[in-house]
Amino acid sequence: MRFRILGPLEVFDGTHWRGISAAKPRTLLATLLVQRDVPVPTGRLGAELWGEREPKAAANLIQQYVMRLRRELGDRQGRLLVTRPPGYQMVLADEDDLDAAAFARLGDSGRAALAAGDAERAAGLLAEALALWRGPALVDVPTGPMVEAEAARLAEQRLDVLQARVEADLACGRHAALVPELRQSVREHPLREGLWGQLMLALYRSGRQAEALDAYREVHRLLADELSIEPSAPLCDLQLRMLRGDPRLGLPATEAEAEAEAEGQDQGEHEGEAEGEGDARARSKSRRRPRPEPRPSVEASRAGQPSAAPRQLPAAVAGFAGRRAELRLLDKLPADASAGPGPAVCVIAGTAGAGKTSLALHWAHRAAPHFPDGQLYVNLHGFAPATGPMSPGEAIRGFLEALSVPPERIPDAPEARAALLRTETAGRRLLFVLDNAADAAQVRPLLPGSAGCAVVVTSRGQLTGLAVTDGAVLLSLDVLPREEARELLAARLGADRVAAEPEPVTELIDLCARLPLALAVTAARAVGRPGFALSAVVAELRDVRGRLEALDAGEGVSSVRTVFSWSYRRLDTATARVFRLLGLHPGRDVAAPAVAALAGLSVREAAAALTALARVHLIAEHRPGRYSFHDLLRAYATDLTAAEDTEAARTAALHRLLDHCLHSARAARRHLAPARGEVPLPPPVTGSVPRDPEGYEEAMAWFEAEHAVLLAVADAAGPAGFDGHAWQLPLAMADFLHLSGRWHDWVSTQRTAIVAARQQGDRAGTALCHCESGRAAIRMRRYEEAHRELLRALELQRGLGDLTAQADTLRTLAWSYEQQGDYRAALQRVEQVLELQRAVGNLAGQAGALNNIGWCHTHLGDHEEALARCREALRLHLDGGSPLGAAYTWETLGFIHHSMGQYAEAVDSYRQCRDGFRRFGNRYGEADALHHLGGSLRMTGDQEAARDAWHAALAILDELEHPDADVVRELLLTTAG
């Protein structure tokens, strides 16, 4: 079995390439392929598939997806997709069974051939590697963190291989042929200066000097306009050489090769070689392209002996564990440093306490043999509260002194110092560790200018500018995965002590938010008390308010609170206020509109504040537009807002947030169930910026994104003194929870709502909550409980004289009887509903009641009466402009015709139903119609059309992660062949 990920994800089954149709199994397969060298734990897979919206049954769903994939791959014995605790692993028979692995192998071979001087072979190998690409990597896979990171890495590798192939073609003299391709490449990657340099060289060697200089002016303008920077030194140098007419630019060989060739020809002449033999030797030498010997690591000392190479790395952190994926990425740096046109740069960014320096130093020590000319280290103090960031000039002076440059040779001007550093490091293999950088501007002057060197930067900032201008690889360091957090504790406490108390260890990991610094501080406390059980350490951490004090080891770098404060103090006043108020938000993540409400800002201002906080890793953008922070940062923000904001300010912020959630949910609910009644709400408070989605699909998408937050907000509203929000918000969410299959949440939220409505003394609200609780109980098949809730609602509504509310409750009661198969009792209730709707003059309500009456009659065997009632309902819906009600009625008509054996009419009705739901954007309704359409098509004998309908239904249900997907999947399995 072979796989392709350099484009859409595809599988080769021995005959043809094909895709994986369902989104979740496709994401699962992609994740296992990009992490194929290690088992992927189930927890990591859950995060990749659902992110923060991971369902409670995630493990069971993953097992189902694995079984489905094994069926699709013909791997029923699990030899390819292997179960390996704590998760799963893809085991490929051959490395080249994955196109990305073949691409990496061909790329390495091509670069090696180029370094050896065999340009023709290099060009062929590199072109073969690039031919494997069919579009952006993993383009059809819904991205999680691992897939997204791998796609970005592969895209960067593709550009590297492209530049190497162009370099090989230039060495082969294919200048003119390269010009059109390079023009296209710089249009697609305008900030990649290496491609501009190759375009300039190709134009120059093709006799088009003016166009080559025009290309330089174009990139110069582009960099100035987009980034406010000048072109890099190599590009500037190339332009100057062109202006001077440097004759060596006209040769495909390098300077060193030209000199070697000239020397060889001289030697041949002096030795009296036969005619043509010298030319052959020169051609042989030009093909070989020997790798230049590294220059001495340092200048000679006063005694005339070379000084020792600098070895500045601080000691690696004891007890380091985990970070396997990050270490694999860093392990590519030595090869990238050798192959690229300039230094290989990697930025390790992450929140305070994530272990950035520990990772950098751990890797640097093990990578040191790859850099024989030395390892340089500097702490740039980017976030130091007392001293402030170190100047680049000061850091460069330290590096030059370490490289044995005499003090009198070190210039005062920062630009001159940076130039001297580039001179001194040219041709050497050095490793730079630039720790705790403030920003890209502080780092950029410290970068060497040529290949052979690698630079690892750590920062709380994102430093994306280095990726744009210097080709840096960005490595974002999150909190540890649970299994790696356990490894860290085992490394510091001993494996036996950790294994002896598995449950306290699991809780300890969660209480420390999987933050390496917090785990290290906790482990140090436990080591100092060897006689204490770990459960006692856990007990100290359970108190949220005292947790940050418990995570203080007595000095700045060992205090979680202090380390957090170094980032907080760098914020401007407005952004700091937003961070503090985020401590009031009860959800696991947040988007800009909710933050705007919380802080009383515009959405644009809130988005800017979130971007600023993410830049210094006080929060993380875990999905596009959605931000979160771990529990310890949440506790820190909560402490700050309690200390620095007044109680009135905190209450007002929470009120704005609650109104934002409630009014947005109410607006979205109207698109899901426009015929449902609703209680009046007071207008939203100023600054709450509620959303109003457009149409059913956008409303469902909004609920999908926000439902976990809404659940948390509803739970927090009552204890905060907002009882109205505590019952109104669950009501606004109810239809979404019903339609999306989140029935347990539906039940629990309504129980909370009833308590809150009673607490507020709102009888109408209490009745509505009882009715909604009854609906949820019906879906859970708790019929006795449902009847109690519904009868209680009716009692309250009759006391209030609310006929519309009574009709809604009676319709729900009829549904309960219908679900139990008692259609006579159901019919009695829906006829009462019709009378009430006529009494209040609600035409849409009358049509809905007639549809339900028809449904009951057909189940009682009176199909003609059922048809008559449903046709009347359809007329009322169409006359009243209710396309959604018409779609539901077409569904009932389809069922009636199917029950009468009129399968062609049933097919037509279900198609009308499907089209109606599709036009309205009701994805679940469309899937349900397709499900039943398949059944009617099967009865007409059109098996192929039936399976097509079921496949279409399954695709939607899988996308919605709806439990009905299993029913349709079983239909497809039982009718296969």
Side-chain angles (χ1 to χ4, degrees), residues 534-617:
L534 292 180
S535 56
V537 178
V538 168
E540 293 179 347
L541 296 175
R542 284 198 184 110
D543 175 18
V544 175
R545 294 193 174 186
R547 193 176 305 165
L548 292 176
E549 281 69 28
L551 295 173
D552 185 347
E555 57 178 306
V557 294
S558 300
S559 165
V560 171
R561 185 193 297 277
T562 301
V563 170
F564 288 167
S565 72
W566 294 344
S567 293
Y568 175 71
R569 290 172 186 170
R570 291 286 303 275
L571 301 175
D572 61 70
T573 302
T575 306
R577 175 174 172 269
V578 170
F579 177 73
R580 295 195 305 272
L581 293 178
L582 283 173
L584 300 175
H585 191 281
R588 299 302 301 176
D589 72 351
V590 67
V595 175
L598 190 65
L601 302 171
S602 70
V603 174
R604 178 172 296 192
E605 289 169 330
L610 288 168
T611 300
L613 290 171
R615 193 176 293 125
V616 295
H617 288 86

Side-chain angles (χ1 to χ4, degrees), residues 172 270 277 635 850:
C172 294
H270 283 101
E277 192 174 340
L850 286 164

